[in-house]
Amino acid sequence: MSTADESVRDVVRKLVEDQLNVGGRELDPDDDLWNLGMTSLSCMGLMLNLEDALDVELPTELLQHETFRSVNTIVAAIDGAREEDASTLA
């Protein structure tokens, strides 16, 4: 895992912890966020916060349960969106 991956993961974890108000509990990257209180509304807010914090545009089709299942699935979606952006620029 690269330092860049760790940075994205740290940002995602922090934003998820803030969005779900987990009370100082540090999330495991594979915790099921829906079991911790994620709703469709909090998912939308999280997506907007992630886009702002990481300067990335996530396609609206990623706004779904499986994409926002865990910190790891969110990081994978961000990585995928960045790769797609890079490929369209090439």
Side-chain angles (χ1 to χ4, degrees):
M1 180 183 323
S2 72
T3 303
D5 288 340
E6 292 175 86
S7 297
V8 169
R9 185 166 280 106
D10 290 342
V11 170
V12 170
R13 178 183 286 141
K14 168 86 172 88
L15 290 173
V16 168
E17 289 171 351
D18 290 348
Q19 186 75 38
L20 296 182
N21 194 22
V22 294
R25 175 183 184 267
E26 188 171 319
L27 295 175
D28 182 84
D30 290 315
D31 281 345
D32 187 321
L33 302 179
W34 296 90
N35 287 337
L36 295 173
M38 180 76 79
T39 64
S40 57
L41 185 59
S42 60
C43 185
M44 171 84 78
L46 178 59
M47 184 169 169
L48 295 172
N49 290 338
L50 289 165
E51 289 179 334
D52 288 344
L54 297 170
D55 194 30
V56 65
E57 187 171 337
L58 298 171
T60 54
E61 59 267 12
L62 290 181
L63 189 58
Q64 55 184 310
H65 185 277
E66 195 54 36
T67 303
F68 286 82
R69 184 184 56 77
S70 69
V71 169
N72 280 339
T73 59
I74 296 169
V75 170
I78 291 167
D79 289 345
R82 285 182 166 168
E83 286 174 15
E84 186 162 322
D85 283 347
S87 71
T88 59
L89 295 175

